[in-house]
Amino acid sequence: MQEERERRPETPAEADGTTGLFTALGKMLKLFRERKGLTQKEFGLLVGYGPDAISSMERGVRLIRPEVLEKADAHLEAGGVLAQAIPELREAMSRARTRHPEWYRSYAALEAEARELHFYANQGVPGLLQTEDYARAVFSRRRPLLDEETIEKRIADRMARQQVLDKWPVPVCSFVLEEVILDRPIGGKSVRETQLKQLLRIGNLRNVEMQVMSTGIEQHPNMDGGFNLLTPKRHPQVAYTEVQGYPRLITDAEEVRTIVERYGIMRAMALPPAESRALIEKKLGES
């Protein structure tokens, strides 16, 4: 078993080699943008993304959506150069559902097509909410230490997973975050500040409900660690947990029901979304 774990692909991008495509497209996008004399913010306004997202796309750590390439080709007057890559990009996106390591592949495929996504986190910000710098801080300090190439690939995979929040129709999402997550300065003060802003931005999306579980609460229905709940298309709801690198996709109906019950109680005990946003804003102002 240990030998099999050591042989598994380090990351999804490493498994199918799509990192090179994303990196090349990012460099081309940057070249055409700069040739047009646009800043990342100005270009982002044309295609519907913020400057941080554009920066991540240009560096190949965030997947470029086909519609972004199509708009970019027109706005940047690329003469069809960027648009020509759309078929290859769509194929890479299709492979993304199956490119994850075997130990993660089932969950990754379900997450990509889920109609509902629910997360409880008690140690750190969930991957779908992390900024690139926060993710880098997490992977850089992981033990045993990872080499730089592996760190960059894992960051790329994490940013690519976040595309699930941009797809249409959008999935219904909820997050219950322990308050300590907001206080822990992973990566330093500036990284924490940017991460809090990210939580506020995503928490304001129409399809997202974000709640904070106060540290001062005296009773807690779940002391067993974090978990994810998701409802994929045409399949019953499932749960996912991971402890010390050992993942588990839970499909047993009774086990899933128990976790759903705990999550419902936690949502009732946590601060409402509006109060949670106010708390995050307060902590941001104090940073």
Side-chain angles (χ1 to χ4, degrees), residues 8-9 11-12 96-97 99-112 119 127-128 157-158 161 228 240-242 247 249:
R8 71 190 185 197
T11 69
R97 291 188 174 89
R99 68 193 174 105
H100 296 265
E102 190 63 39
W103 61 274
Y104 185 72
R105 190 169 296 156
S106 296
Y107 174 81
L110 293 174
E111 182 184 79
F119 300 83
L128 287 186
D157 289 338
R158 182 146 295 180
R161 274 182 59 212
N228 306 347
Y240 176 82
T241 63
E242 185 174 339
L249 183 65

Side-chain angles (χ1 to χ4, degrees), residues 2 36 41 74 118 135 190 252 281:
Q2 179 64 30
K36 190 68 175 176
K41 182 178 181 179
H118 306 288
S190 62
D252 178 79
E281 289 172 348

Side-chain angles (χ1 to χ4, degrees), residues 53-204:
I54 298 301
S55 174
S56 295
M57 292 178 195
E58 291 183 347
R59 286 178 289 117
V61 298
R62 177 169 181 152
L63 185 147
I64 305 173
R65 303 286 297 180
E67 56 267 26
V68 172
L69 272 190
E70 187 174 2
K71 292 178 182 178
D73 197 275
H75 289 300
L76 302 180
E77 300 179 0
V81 174
L82 296 175
Q84 284 292 320
I86 290 178
E88 286 76 10
L89 178 59
R90 291 189 188 280
E91 181 180 350
M93 291 174 64
S94 177
R95 292 201 306 270
R97 291 188 174 89
T98 58
R99 68 193 174 105
H100 296 265
E102 190 63 39
W103 61 274
Y104 185 72
R105 190 169 296 156
S106 296
Y107 174 81
L110 293 174
E111 182 184 79
E113 64 170 24
R115 296 175 297 175
E116 294 184 23
L117 292 163
H118 306 288
F119 300 83
Y120 166 63
N122 62 347
Q123 292 288 343
V125 175
L128 287 186
L129 302 179
Q130 291 180 7
T131 64
E132 181 183 335
D133 287 338
Y134 188 99
R136 177 170 286 104
V138 170
F139 289 128
S140 296
R141 302 304 299 173
R142 180 189 180 277
R143 293 296 192 272
L145 292 173
L146 303 173
D147 61 75
E148 292 300 320
E149 181 181 2
T150 299
I151 290 172
E152 292 304 317
K153 288 179 178 179
R154 294 200 178 188
I155 293 170
D157 289 338
R158 182 146 295 180
M159 297 300 103
R161 274 182 59 212
Q162 294 179 2
Q163 301 298 318
V164 70
L165 298 175
D166 299 326
K167 72 177 185 178
W168 187 262
V170 291
V172 174
C173 300
S174 73
F175 299 86
V176 174
L177 311 177
E178 292 289 344
E179 184 179 357
V180 66
I181 292 174
L182 308 179
D183 297 326
R184 182 171 290 137
I186 298 293
K189 181 178 178 180
S190 62
V191 173
R192 173 178 176 265
E193 181 177 340
T194 304
Q195 182 61 67
L196 291 178
K197 291 178 180 179
Q198 170 94 324
L199 295 181
L200 290 172
R201 182 185 68 81
I202 296 179
N204 280 324

